[in-house]
Amino acid sequence: MFPNSKGFFLLELLLSLSALLVISMFLLPIYIQVREQSHQVEIENIARKFMYEELQARMMDHNNFNNYSLVQDGIEYQIFWKNSLENSGKVVCVKVERNPFIHGSETCGIFE
């Protein structure tokens, strides 16, 4: 900028805008990826919470091993029981189906 000028020179303005554009081109995809990963971790934590709640409920009532689904925030969590291969116990699993917005996941815990 010239010493007697009272504003920005057009070249300085274009240079600063292009630098801002280049920086945002690199940071925007990183921001989107981190946001998707945090959403996936949140879904997995909710599934793990449902699994532990189901295990605690079955400790009180040993006879009721029902399969069912829960919907929270528009996401369906399928809770189902299956027989364990290692021992004669049961395993509870919480499954989230894969769709265009969510990666599928399955969380399992052993009922002892």
Side-chain angles (χ1 to χ4, degrees), residues 42-106:
E42 181 182 345
I43 290 171
E44 290 172 2
N45 285 339
I46 292 171
R48 198 171 293 118
K49 181 187 81 163
F50 286 149
M51 180 193 68
Y52 285 126
E53 287 176 357
E54 183 69 17
L55 285 172
Q56 288 177 349
R58 289 314 125 227
M59 285 183 181
M60 301 297 177
D61 179 20
H62 293 283
N63 299 329
N64 195 2
F65 296 103
N66 293 333
N67 300 337
Y68 60 94
S69 296
L70 293 172
V71 177
Q72 184 175 0
D73 297 330
I75 301 168
E76 182 179 7
Y77 298 91
Q78 298 173 355
I79 300 173
F80 59 94
W81 289 87
K82 58 185 178 182
N83 293 325
S84 176
L85 299 176
E86 289 88 27
N87 55 17
S88 61
K90 292 269 197 178
V91 176
V92 62
C93 293
V94 178
K95 185 176 184 180
V96 179
E97 290 293 326
R98 181 182 177 96
N99 66 32
F101 304 108
I102 303 167
H103 299 290
S105 67
E106 185 173 316

